[in-house]
Amino acid sequence: MVSLSSCADAILLNIWQHLLGDLPTHIALTQTCRRLRDLYERDDKIWQSACFTAGFGRPLRKTLPPTAPGAVSELSYRRLARLLVSHATVCEIRSCTKANACFVEHYRRWPYTRTRSLHHNHPLDFHPLYFYLHFSQSHAASQSRQQQIQPHTPTPSPSPSPPPPAIPDSVSILLTHLPTFPESRYAQYGPLCTHPNASCAFATFPPVDRLEFENGEGDVFMVVENPEGCTVLDVNRALAELIPFDDQHLEFALAHYQELAFTSGLSLSQFAEVITRDRGFLDDHEYPFLQHIIAHL
């Protein structure tokens, strides 16, 4: 009887290819025996292919000096795959644990395991999380803030996708960067970067390495780039950079922090010290307005 340990590398890698798109099975396979573990963990590119065909990329990490507190080495795809599978077992948000359920058949038929150049007229489908996280669920609320938000209206280019149901809402975007109650961290996107499955989902299908966003006048106001494929978190962070530093958003963030601090029984400065320890799975998250608020207490 032929054992796995006696099979040639080419045969074992062929087994891996047939399992593309199924991250839990990939991880289970590496735990079968030492031979498989050593073979599959030797090359991170095969883990990149496994993540890609499951609809996940690696968001760009914010640049930190090598000696800065919290600076860590780049997240490998092998570690990312384990992180995605592990998070899916504890997260309570279905749109996170089943982040790519809507695109399963698309990736199954897609013959590539990396981003590739597309014709400028090739259709792009934006991930549902793009709309859920960044667009107000209340049209009335959107209209009341239209004056402030209008410059942030994204129109993916190129893409014949239908126009979004409402304009992007800067407060909705801000909420994806603010913390939530500790007992709700697995039930709410607070912040988004603590939910790797939602964060790492590609922002479009097919995945692309560059997205241009236009305002209503056709001018490009935002460009998102990731050579390994633009993810939901890449787009989310680019949108967050457009949130104006004004009284409206500062007061909203302050009220949010105060409510959480009061509920926790901590002063605002104590609460800030606690939450800044959680910097997301990339270990690079910065909470909006927090330093400014603490500095002016």
Side-chain angles (χ1 to χ4, degrees):
M1 179 180 293
V2 178
S3 64
L4 288 175
S5 59
S6 64
C7 290
D9 287 356
I11 295 176
L12 297 179
L13 290 173
N14 191 49
I15 294 174
W16 180 274
Q17 291 291 328
H18 282 283
L19 296 174
L20 286 178
D22 189 346
L23 289 181
T25 302
H26 279 303
I27 292 174
L29 194 61
T30 64
Q31 298 170 344
T32 302
C33 65
R34 181 177 298 179
R35 170 78 194 290
L36 289 177
R37 184 193 65 191
D38 293 343
L39 175 63
Y40 293 147
E41 296 189 358
R42 185 185 308 163
D43 185 0
D44 205 47
K45 290 183 179 179
I46 63 176
W47 285 99
Q48 181 180 359
S49 298
C51 289
F52 185 96
T53 52
F56 296 109
R58 182 170 56 186
L60 292 181
R61 190 171 182 272
K62 293 181 180 178
T63 303
L64 289 175
T67 57
V72 296
S73 58
E74 186 178 58
L75 181 69
S76 69
Y77 273 99
R78 177 175 63 85
R79 184 180 164 202
L80 177 61
R82 295 180 183 278
L83 191 63
L84 293 169
V85 173
S86 174
H87 183 75
T89 64
V90 296
C91 185
E92 301 172 21
I93 309 175
R94 182 173 175 81
S95 60
C96 181
T97 60
K98 304 291 184 183
N100 289 311
C102 56
F103 291 136
V104 169
E105 290 302 320
H106 293 65
Y107 283 105
R108 191 168 294 165
R109 294 192 298 266
W110 192 246
Y112 307 102
T113 58
R114 299 286 190 279
T115 56
R116 60 188 298 269
S117 299
L118 301 175
H119 188 273
H120 68 278
N121 285 327
H122 194 290
L124 289 179
D125 291 325
F126 265 72
H127 197 289
L129 279 170
Y130 165 73
F131 299 102
Y132 176 75
L133 295 171
H134 307 131
F135 291 75
S136 173
Q137 305 303 305
S138 168
H139 182 63
S142 297
Q143 287 184 322
S144 68
R145 288 191 290 266
Q146 188 165 0
Q147 187 68 27
Q148 293 91 343
I149 308 303
Q150 188 62 39
H152 307 336
T153 303
T155 301
S157 175
S159 174
S161 301
I167 62 174
D169 176 22
S170 62
V171 172
S172 295
I173 297 168
L174 179 58
L175 278 170
T176 65
H177 287 253
L178 295 175
T180 187
F181 297 100
E183 63 272 17
S184 302
R185 62 176 309 211
Y186 292 118
Q188 296 179 2
Y189 289 121
L192 172 63
C193 66
T194 60
H195 292 268
N197 300 52
S199 297
C200 296
F202 286 118
T204 63
F205 181 86
V208 293
D209 58 9
R210 177 184 171 92
L211 287 168
E212 294 184 357
F213 293 77
E214 299 175 354
N215 60 20
E217 299 176 353
D219 299 321
V220 175
F221 71 90
M222 184 177 81
V223 176
V224 181
E225 292 182 294
N226 184 334
E228 297 173 355
C230 296
T231 66
V232 169
L233 185 62
D234 291 321
V235 176
N236 171 261
R237 286 180 163 178
L239 286 170
E241 291 179 1
L242 300 178
I243 298 176
F245 194 105
D246 58 16
D247 290 343
Q248 175 196 355
H249 297 92
L250 179 59
E251 291 172 3
F252 181 88
L254 174 60
H256 186 88
Y257 291 131
Q258 287 176 328
E259 180 183 2
L260 293 178
F262 177 78
T263 305
S264 303
L266 302 172
S267 68
L268 193 53
S269 58
Q270 290 173 328
F271 176 74
E273 183 179 352
V274 171
I275 65 170
T276 51
R277 297 171 189 165
D278 187 357
R279 294 163 54 84
F281 71 97
L282 292 174
D283 195 28
D284 65 346
H285 182 62
E286 297 177 354
Y287 291 90
F289 304 108
L290 187 58
Q291 291 185 351
H292 176 82
I293 290 172
I294 298 302
H296 291 79
L297 281 177

PDB file of all heavy atoms in Angstrom, residues 79-110:
ATOM      1  N   ARG A  79       0.003  32.028   7.663  1.00  0.00           N
ATOM      2  CA  ARG A  79      -0.561  32.504   8.928  1.00  0.00           C
ATOM      3  C   ARG A  79      -1.930  33.135   8.707  1.00  0.00           C
ATOM      4  O   ARG A  79      -2.840  32.989   9.522  1.00  0.00           O
ATOM      5  CB  ARG A  79       0.398  33.511   9.564  1.00  0.00           C
ATOM      6  CG  ARG A  79      -0.043  33.998  10.937  1.00  0.00           C
ATOM      7  CD  ARG A  79       0.952  34.983  11.499  1.00  0.00           C
ATOM      8  NE  ARG A  79       0.385  35.721  12.610  1.00  0.00           N
ATOM      9  CZ  ARG A  79       0.827  36.898  13.022  1.00  0.00           C
ATOM     10  NH1 ARG A  79       1.841  37.468  12.411  1.00  0.00           N
ATOM     11  NH2 ARG A  79       0.273  37.508  14.052  1.00  0.00           N
ATOM     12  N   LEU A  80      -2.081  33.845   7.586  1.00  0.00           N
ATOM     13  CA  LEU A  80      -3.361  34.471   7.283  1.00  0.00           C
ATOM     14  C   LEU A  80      -4.449  33.416   7.118  1.00  0.00           C
ATOM     15  O   LEU A  80      -5.570  33.580   7.614  1.00  0.00           O
ATOM     16  CB  LEU A  80      -3.240  35.307   6.007  1.00  0.00           C
ATOM     17  CG  LEU A  80      -4.536  35.975   5.519  1.00  0.00           C
ATOM     18  CD1 LEU A  80      -5.081  36.941   6.568  1.00  0.00           C
ATOM     19  CD2 LEU A  80      -4.294  36.699   4.191  1.00  0.00           C
ATOM     20  N   ALA A  81      -4.141  32.325   6.417  1.00  0.00           N
ATOM     21  CA  ALA A  81      -5.125  31.261   6.213  1.00  0.00           C
ATOM     22  C   ALA A  81      -5.586  30.686   7.549  1.00  0.00           C
ATOM     23  O   ALA A  81      -6.786  30.463   7.766  1.00  0.00           O
ATOM     24  CB  ALA A  81      -4.531  30.158   5.342  1.00  0.00           C
ATOM     25  N   ARG A  82      -4.656  30.448   8.444  1.00  0.00           N
ATOM     26  CA  ARG A  82      -5.019  29.930   9.766  1.00  0.00           C
ATOM     27  C   ARG A  82      -5.864  30.947  10.537  1.00  0.00           C
ATOM     28  O   ARG A  82      -6.796  30.575  11.251  1.00  0.00           O
ATOM     29  CB  ARG A  82      -3.752  29.576  10.555  1.00  0.00           C
ATOM     30  CG  ARG A  82      -2.954  28.432   9.936  1.00  0.00           C
ATOM     31  CD  ARG A  82      -1.712  28.111  10.754  1.00  0.00           C
ATOM     32  NE  ARG A  82      -0.915  27.064  10.136  1.00  0.00           N
ATOM     33  CZ  ARG A  82      -1.161  25.769  10.265  1.00  0.00           C
ATOM     34  NH1 ARG A  82      -2.174  25.361  11.003  1.00  0.00           N
ATOM     35  NH2 ARG A  82      -0.391  24.874   9.659  1.00  0.00           N
ATOM     36  N   LEU A  83      -5.525  32.209  10.384  1.00  0.00           N
ATOM     37  CA  LEU A  83      -6.271  33.269  11.058  1.00  0.00           C
ATOM     38  C   LEU A  83      -7.711  33.327  10.553  1.00  0.00           C
ATOM     39  O   LEU A  83      -8.662  33.470  11.336  1.00  0.00           O
ATOM     40  CB  LEU A  83      -5.565  34.603  10.817  1.00  0.00           C
ATOM     41  CG  LEU A  83      -6.020  35.814  11.626  1.00  0.00           C
ATOM     42  CD1 LEU A  83      -5.780  35.590  13.114  1.00  0.00           C
ATOM     43  CD2 LEU A  83      -5.277  37.064  11.158  1.00  0.00           C
ATOM     44  N   LEU A  84      -7.894  33.186   9.256  1.00  0.00           N
ATOM     45  CA  LEU A  84      -9.238  33.226   8.663  1.00  0.00           C
ATOM     46  C   LEU A  84     -10.090  32.062   9.151  1.00  0.00           C
ATOM     47  O   LEU A  84     -11.262  32.239   9.498  1.00  0.00           O
ATOM     48  CB  LEU A  84      -9.129  33.196   7.136  1.00  0.00           C
ATOM     49  CG  LEU A  84      -8.494  34.428   6.470  1.00  0.00           C
ATOM     50  CD1 LEU A  84      -8.196  34.142   5.008  1.00  0.00           C
ATOM     51  CD2 LEU A  84      -9.387  35.651   6.624  1.00  0.00           C
ATOM     52  N   VAL A  85      -9.507  30.878   9.172  1.00  0.00           N
ATOM     53  CA  VAL A  85     -10.249  29.699   9.614  1.00  0.00           C
ATOM     54  C   VAL A  85     -10.561  29.787  11.100  1.00  0.00           C
ATOM     55  O   VAL A  85     -11.679  29.468  11.540  1.00  0.00           O
ATOM     56  CB  VAL A  85      -9.447  28.415   9.304  1.00  0.00           C
ATOM     57  CG1 VAL A  85     -10.120  27.189   9.917  1.00  0.00           C
ATOM     58  CG2 VAL A  85      -9.310  28.234   7.790  1.00  0.00           C
ATOM     59  N   SER A  86      -9.619  30.263  11.883  1.00  0.00           N
ATOM     60  CA  SER A  86      -9.823  30.384  13.332  1.00  0.00           C
ATOM     61  C   SER A  86     -10.890  31.419  13.656  1.00  0.00           C
ATOM     62  O   SER A  86     -11.768  31.181  14.492  1.00  0.00           O
ATOM     63  CB  SER A  86      -8.497  30.761  14.005  1.00  0.00           C
ATOM     64  OG  SER A  86      -8.690  31.008  15.379  1.00  0.00           O
ATOM     65  N   HIS A  87     -10.837  32.568  12.982  1.00  0.00           N
ATOM     66  CA  HIS A  87     -11.805  33.629  13.271  1.00  0.00           C
ATOM     67  C   HIS A  87     -13.228  33.198  12.927  1.00  0.00           C
ATOM     68  O   HIS A  87     -14.182  33.568  13.618  1.00  0.00           O
ATOM     69  CB  HIS A  87     -11.443  34.895  12.495  1.00  0.00           C
ATOM     70  CG  HIS A  87     -12.340  36.058  12.785  1.00  0.00           C
ATOM     71  ND1 HIS A  87     -12.265  36.790  13.948  1.00  0.00           N
ATOM     72  CD2 HIS A  87     -13.361  36.605  12.064  1.00  0.00           C
ATOM     73  CE1 HIS A  87     -13.180  37.734  13.938  1.00  0.00           C
ATOM     74  NE2 HIS A  87     -13.858  37.647  12.801  1.00  0.00           N
ATOM     75  N   ALA A  88     -13.374  32.412  11.876  1.00  0.00           N
ATOM     76  CA  ALA A  88     -14.701  31.957  11.452  1.00  0.00           C
ATOM     77  C   ALA A  88     -15.378  31.090  12.510  1.00  0.00           C
ATOM     78  O   ALA A  88     -16.604  30.949  12.511  1.00  0.00           O
ATOM     79  CB  ALA A  88     -14.607  31.196  10.129  1.00  0.00           C
ATOM     80  N   THR A  89     -14.607  30.528  13.419  1.00  0.00           N
ATOM     81  CA  THR A  89     -15.187  29.668  14.458  1.00  0.00           C
ATOM     82  C   THR A  89     -15.711  30.458  15.649  1.00  0.00           C
ATOM     83  O   THR A  89     -16.459  29.917  16.461  1.00  0.00           O
ATOM     84  CB  THR A  89     -14.153  28.634  14.961  1.00  0.00           C
ATOM     85  OG1 THR A  89     -13.071  29.323  15.597  1.00  0.00           O
ATOM     86  CG2 THR A  89     -13.619  27.801  13.815  1.00  0.00           C
ATOM     87  N   VAL A  90     -15.304  31.730  15.780  1.00  0.00           N
ATOM     88  CA  VAL A  90     -15.720  32.515  16.949  1.00  0.00           C
ATOM     89  C   VAL A  90     -16.586  33.716  16.589  1.00  0.00           C
ATOM     90  O   VAL A  90     -17.337  34.213  17.425  1.00  0.00           O
ATOM     91  CB  VAL A  90     -14.491  32.997  17.756  1.00  0.00           C
ATOM     92  CG1 VAL A  90     -13.737  31.807  18.331  1.00  0.00           C
ATOM     93  CG2 VAL A  90     -13.566  33.864  16.914  1.00  0.00           C
ATOM     94  N   CYS A  91     -16.455  34.197  15.363  1.00  0.00           N
ATOM     95  CA  CYS A  91     -17.210  35.387  14.962  1.00  0.00           C
ATOM     96  C   CYS A  91     -18.694  35.066  14.825  1.00  0.00           C
ATOM     97  O   CYS A  91     -19.079  33.992  14.356  1.00  0.00           O
ATOM     98  CB  CYS A  91     -16.663  35.934  13.650  1.00  0.00           C
ATOM     99  SG  CYS A  91     -17.439  37.484  13.135  1.00  0.00           S
ATOM    100  N   GLU A  92     -19.540  36.008  15.238  1.00  0.00           N
ATOM    101  CA  GLU A  92     -20.989  35.827  15.186  1.00  0.00           C
ATOM    102  C   GLU A  92     -21.624  36.526  13.991  1.00  0.00           C
ATOM    103  O   GLU A  92     -22.834  36.455  13.808  1.00  0.00           O
ATOM    104  CB  GLU A  92     -21.620  36.359  16.480  1.00  0.00           C
ATOM    105  CG  GLU A  92     -21.101  35.683  17.739  1.00  0.00           C
ATOM    106  CD  GLU A  92     -21.606  36.358  18.998  1.00  0.00           C
ATOM    107  OE1 GLU A  92     -22.636  37.066  18.925  1.00  0.00           O
ATOM    108  OE2 GLU A  92     -20.967  36.212  20.067  1.00  0.00           O
ATOM    109  N   ILE A  93     -20.817  37.209  13.191  1.00  0.00           N
ATOM    110  CA  ILE A  93     -21.348  37.968  12.056  1.00  0.00           C
ATOM    111  C   ILE A  93     -21.283  37.101  10.803  1.00  0.00           C
ATOM    112  O   ILE A  93     -20.193  36.775  10.314  1.00  0.00           O
ATOM    113  CB  ILE A  93     -20.554  39.259  11.832  1.00  0.00           C
ATOM    114  CG1 ILE A  93     -20.433  40.051  13.134  1.00  0.00           C
ATOM    115  CG2 ILE A  93     -21.221  40.110  10.757  1.00  0.00           C
ATOM    116  CD1 ILE A  93     -19.552  41.273  13.023  1.00  0.00           C
ATOM    117  N   ARG A  94     -22.417  36.740  10.280  1.00  0.00           N
ATOM    118  CA  ARG A  94     -22.450  35.841   9.129  1.00  0.00           C
ATOM    119  C   ARG A  94     -21.773  36.457   7.903  1.00  0.00           C
ATOM    120  O   ARG A  94     -21.110  35.758   7.130  1.00  0.00           O
ATOM    121  CB  ARG A  94     -23.902  35.472   8.792  1.00  0.00           C
ATOM    122  CG  ARG A  94     -24.017  34.502   7.619  1.00  0.00           C
ATOM    123  CD  ARG A  94     -25.437  34.014   7.410  1.00  0.00           C
ATOM    124  NE  ARG A  94     -25.547  33.191   6.226  1.00  0.00           N
ATOM    125  CZ  ARG A  94     -25.225  31.913   6.166  1.00  0.00           C
ATOM    126  NH1 ARG A  94     -24.785  31.309   7.252  1.00  0.00           N
ATOM    127  NH2 ARG A  94     -25.345  31.236   5.049  1.00  0.00           N
ATOM    128  N   SER A  95     -21.916  37.779   7.730  1.00  0.00           N
ATOM    129  CA  SER A  95     -21.289  38.415   6.575  1.00  0.00           C
ATOM    130  C   SER A  95     -19.774  38.435   6.693  1.00  0.00           C
ATOM    131  O   SER A  95     -19.078  38.776   5.734  1.00  0.00           O
ATOM    132  CB  SER A  95     -21.816  39.845   6.396  1.00  0.00           C
ATOM    133  OG  SER A  95     -21.543  40.641   7.535  1.00  0.00           O
ATOM    134  N   CYS A  96     -19.257  38.073   7.863  1.00  0.00           N
ATOM    135  CA  CYS A  96     -17.808  37.934   8.049  1.00  0.00           C
ATOM    136  C   CYS A  96     -17.403  36.471   7.888  1.00  0.00           C
ATOM    137  O   CYS A  96     -16.519  36.142   7.103  1.00  0.00           O
ATOM    138  CB  CYS A  96     -17.392  38.463   9.415  1.00  0.00           C
ATOM    139  SG  CYS A  96     -15.618  38.371   9.747  1.00  0.00           S
ATOM    140  N   THR A  97     -18.056  35.582   8.629  1.00  0.00           N
ATOM    141  CA  THR A  97     -17.675  34.163   8.571  1.00  0.00           C
ATOM    142  C   THR A  97     -17.950  33.552   7.201  1.00  0.00           C
ATOM    143  O   THR A  97     -17.249  32.630   6.777  1.00  0.00           O
ATOM    144  CB  THR A  97     -18.431  33.360   9.640  1.00  0.00           C
ATOM    145  OG1 THR A  97     -19.840  33.465   9.424  1.00  0.00           O
ATOM    146  CG2 THR A  97     -18.116  33.889  11.032  1.00  0.00           C
ATOM    147  N   LYS A  98     -18.963  34.065   6.512  1.00  0.00           N
ATOM    148  CA  LYS A  98     -19.294  33.593   5.157  1.00  0.00           C
ATOM    149  C   LYS A  98     -19.078  34.723   4.161  1.00  0.00           C
ATOM    150  O   LYS A  98     -19.883  34.958   3.265  1.00  0.00           O
ATOM    151  CB  LYS A  98     -20.752  33.120   5.104  1.00  0.00           C
ATOM    152  CG  LYS A  98     -21.108  32.048   6.113  1.00  0.00           C
ATOM    153  CD  LYS A  98     -20.436  30.731   5.816  1.00  0.00           C
ATOM    154  CE  LYS A  98     -20.885  29.642   6.780  1.00  0.00           C
ATOM    155  NZ  LYS A  98     -20.196  28.364   6.551  1.00  0.00           N
ATOM    156  N   ALA A  99     -17.972  35.417   4.329  1.00  0.00           N
ATOM    157  CA  ALA A  99     -17.746  36.656   3.588  1.00  0.00           C
ATOM    158  C   ALA A  99     -17.857  36.484   2.081  1.00  0.00           C
ATOM    159  O   ALA A  99     -18.354  37.378   1.386  1.00  0.00           O
ATOM    160  CB  ALA A  99     -16.375  37.227   3.949  1.00  0.00           C
ATOM    161  N   ASN A 100     -17.419  35.354   1.555  1.00  0.00           N
ATOM    162  CA  ASN A 100     -17.399  35.175   0.101  1.00  0.00           C
ATOM    163  C   ASN A 100     -18.437  34.182  -0.406  1.00  0.00           C
ATOM    164  O   ASN A 100     -18.295  33.646  -1.504  1.00  0.00           O
ATOM    165  CB  ASN A 100     -15.997  34.757  -0.350  1.00  0.00           C
ATOM    166  CG  ASN A 100     -15.009  35.900  -0.245  1.00  0.00           C
ATOM    167  OD1 ASN A 100     -15.271  37.006  -0.716  1.00  0.00           O
ATOM    168  ND2 ASN A 100     -13.877  35.646   0.399  1.00  0.00           N
ATOM    169  N   ALA A 101     -19.464  33.952   0.403  1.00  0.00           N
ATOM    170  CA  ALA A 101     -20.505  33.003  -0.010  1.00  0.00           C
ATOM    171  C   ALA A 101     -21.147  33.412  -1.335  1.00  0.00           C
ATOM    172  O   ALA A 101     -21.512  32.561  -2.149  1.00  0.00           O
ATOM    173  CB  ALA A 101     -21.573  32.894   1.080  1.00  0.00           C
ATOM    174  N   CYS A 102     -21.248  34.717  -1.569  1.00  0.00           N
ATOM    175  CA  CYS A 102     -21.895  35.197  -2.794  1.00  0.00           C
ATOM    176  C   CYS A 102     -21.039  34.976  -4.037  1.00  0.00           C
ATOM    177  O   CYS A 102     -21.543  35.036  -5.166  1.00  0.00           O
ATOM    178  CB  CYS A 102     -22.239  36.679  -2.657  1.00  0.00           C
ATOM    179  SG  CYS A 102     -20.812  37.708  -2.250  1.00  0.00           S
ATOM    180  N   PHE A 103     -19.746  34.726  -3.844  1.00  0.00           N
ATOM    181  CA  PHE A 103     -18.846  34.586  -4.984  1.00  0.00           C
ATOM    182  C   PHE A 103     -18.236  33.191  -5.107  1.00  0.00           C
ATOM    183  O   PHE A 103     -17.293  32.999  -5.876  1.00  0.00           O
ATOM    184  CB  PHE A 103     -17.709  35.612  -4.883  1.00  0.00           C
ATOM    185  CG  PHE A 103     -18.147  37.033  -5.088  1.00  0.00           C
ATOM    186  CD1 PHE A 103     -17.680  38.041  -4.246  1.00  0.00           C
ATOM    187  CD2 PHE A 103     -19.007  37.369  -6.112  1.00  0.00           C
ATOM    188  CE1 PHE A 103     -18.068  39.357  -4.429  1.00  0.00           C
ATOM    189  CE2 PHE A 103     -19.403  38.678  -6.315  1.00  0.00           C
ATOM    190  CZ  PHE A 103     -18.937  39.688  -5.470  1.00  0.00           C
ATOM    191  N   VAL A 104     -18.752  32.224  -4.363  1.00  0.00           N
ATOM    192  CA  VAL A 104     -18.170  30.885  -4.366  1.00  0.00           C
ATOM    193  C   VAL A 104     -18.102  30.314  -5.779  1.00  0.00           C
ATOM    194  O   VAL A 104     -17.050  29.825  -6.234  1.00  0.00           O
ATOM    195  CB  VAL A 104     -18.960  29.925  -3.445  1.00  0.00           C
ATOM    196  CG1 VAL A 104     -18.516  28.490  -3.674  1.00  0.00           C
ATOM    197  CG2 VAL A 104     -18.756  30.310  -1.985  1.00  0.00           C
ATOM    198  N   GLU A 105     -19.204  30.356  -6.509  1.00  0.00           N
ATOM    199  CA  GLU A 105     -19.230  29.796  -7.860  1.00  0.00           C
ATOM    200  C   GLU A 105     -18.348  30.591  -8.810  1.00  0.00           C
ATOM    201  O   GLU A 105     -17.752  30.029  -9.733  1.00  0.00           O
ATOM    202  CB  GLU A 105     -20.674  29.754  -8.380  1.00  0.00           C
ATOM    203  CG  GLU A 105     -21.548  28.729  -7.679  1.00  0.00           C
ATOM    204  CD  GLU A 105     -20.983  27.309  -7.793  1.00  0.00           C
ATOM    205  OE1 GLU A 105     -20.472  26.959  -8.887  1.00  0.00           O
ATOM    206  OE2 GLU A 105     -21.038  26.572  -6.800  1.00  0.00           O
ATOM    207  N   HIS A 106     -18.269  31.897  -8.587  1.00  0.00           N
ATOM    208  CA  HIS A 106     -17.406  32.723  -9.435  1.00  0.00           C
ATOM    209  C   HIS A 106     -15.954  32.273  -9.320  1.00  0.00           C
ATOM    210  O   HIS A 106     -15.271  32.093 -10.334  1.00  0.00           O
ATOM    211  CB  HIS A 106     -17.519  34.195  -9.022  1.00  0.00           C
ATOM    212  CG  HIS A 106     -18.852  34.814  -9.276  1.00  0.00           C
ATOM    213  ND1 HIS A 106     -19.994  34.409  -8.634  1.00  0.00           N
ATOM    214  CD2 HIS A 106     -19.230  35.835 -10.095  1.00  0.00           C
ATOM    215  CE1 HIS A 106     -21.017  35.130  -9.046  1.00  0.00           C
ATOM    216  NE2 HIS A 106     -20.573  36.015  -9.934  1.00  0.00           N
ATOM    217  N   TYR A 107     -15.486  32.085  -8.083  1.00  0.00           N
ATOM    218  CA  TYR A 107     -14.093  31.673  -7.895  1.00  0.00           C
ATOM    219  C   TYR A 107     -13.863  30.237  -8.348  1.00  0.00           C
ATOM    220  O   TYR A 107     -12.769  29.891  -8.805  1.00  0.00           O
ATOM    221  CB  TYR A 107     -13.681  31.833  -6.426  1.00  0.00           C
ATOM    222  CG  TYR A 107     -13.399  33.269  -6.045  1.00  0.00           C
ATOM    223  CD1 TYR A 107     -14.306  34.001  -5.285  1.00  0.00           C
ATOM    224  CD2 TYR A 107     -12.232  33.899  -6.472  1.00  0.00           C
ATOM    225  CE1 TYR A 107     -14.056  35.324  -4.947  1.00  0.00           C
ATOM    226  CE2 TYR A 107     -11.976  35.220  -6.141  1.00  0.00           C
ATOM    227  CZ  TYR A 107     -12.886  35.933  -5.378  1.00  0.00           C
ATOM    228  OH  TYR A 107     -12.639  37.244  -5.056  1.00  0.00           O
ATOM    229  N   ARG A 108     -14.890  29.421  -8.241  1.00  0.00           N
ATOM    230  CA  ARG A 108     -14.758  28.030  -8.684  1.00  0.00           C
ATOM    231  C   ARG A 108     -14.527  27.958 -10.188  1.00  0.00           C
ATOM    232  O   ARG A 108     -13.805  27.082 -10.677  1.00  0.00           O
ATOM    233  CB  ARG A 108     -16.016  27.260  -8.287  1.00  0.00           C
ATOM    234  CG  ARG A 108     -15.930  25.754  -8.452  1.00  0.00           C
ATOM    235  CD  ARG A 108     -17.106  25.096  -7.771  1.00  0.00           C
ATOM    236  NE  ARG A 108     -17.052  25.297  -6.315  1.00  0.00           N
ATOM    237  CZ  ARG A 108     -18.081  25.089  -5.496  1.00  0.00           C
ATOM    238  NH1 ARG A 108     -19.242  24.671  -5.994  1.00  0.00           N
ATOM    239  NH2 ARG A 108     -17.961  25.286  -4.205  1.00  0.00           N
ATOM    240  N   ARG A 109     -15.110  28.886 -10.919  1.00  0.00           N
ATOM    241  CA  ARG A 109     -14.960  28.892 -12.374  1.00  0.00           C
ATOM    242  C   ARG A 109     -13.789  29.758 -12.842  1.00  0.00           C
ATOM    243  O   ARG A 109     -13.398  29.673 -14.003  1.00  0.00           O
ATOM    244  CB  ARG A 109     -16.256  29.389 -13.026  1.00  0.00           C
ATOM    245  CG  ARG A 109     -17.447  28.459 -12.830  1.00  0.00           C
ATOM    246  CD  ARG A 109     -18.599  28.857 -13.737  1.00  0.00           C
ATOM    247  NE  ARG A 109     -19.089  30.198 -13.448  1.00  0.00           N
ATOM    248  CZ  ARG A 109     -20.101  30.456 -12.632  1.00  0.00           C
ATOM    249  NH1 ARG A 109     -20.735  29.459 -12.026  1.00  0.00           N
ATOM    250  NH2 ARG A 109     -20.496  31.700 -12.425  1.00  0.00           N
ATOM    251  N   TRP A 110     -13.257  30.595 -11.956  1.00  0.00           N
ATOM    252  CA  TRP A 110     -12.180  31.499 -12.343  1.00  0.00           C
ATOM    253  C   TRP A 110     -10.872  30.720 -12.433  1.00  0.00           C
ATOM    254  O   TRP A 110     -10.449  30.098 -11.461  1.00  0.00           O
ATOM    255  CB  TRP A 110     -12.067  32.611 -11.309  1.00  0.00           C
ATOM    256  CG  TRP A 110     -11.205  33.769 -11.699  1.00  0.00           C
ATOM    257  CD1 TRP A 110     -10.026  34.140 -11.129  1.00  0.00           C
ATOM    258  CD2 TRP A 110     -11.463  34.721 -12.730  1.00  0.00           C
ATOM    259  NE1 TRP A 110      -9.523  35.270 -11.731  1.00  0.00           N
ATOM    260  CE2 TRP A 110     -10.377  35.648 -12.724  1.00  0.00           C
ATOM    261  CE3 TRP A 110     -12.475  34.886 -13.671  1.00  0.00           C
ATOM    262  CZ2 TRP A 110     -10.305  36.719 -13.617  1.00  0.00           C
ATOM    263  CZ3 TRP A 110     -12.403  35.947 -14.554  1.00  0.00           C
ATOM    264  CH2 TRP A 110     -11.332  36.845 -14.528  1.00  0.00           C
TER     265      TRP A 110
END
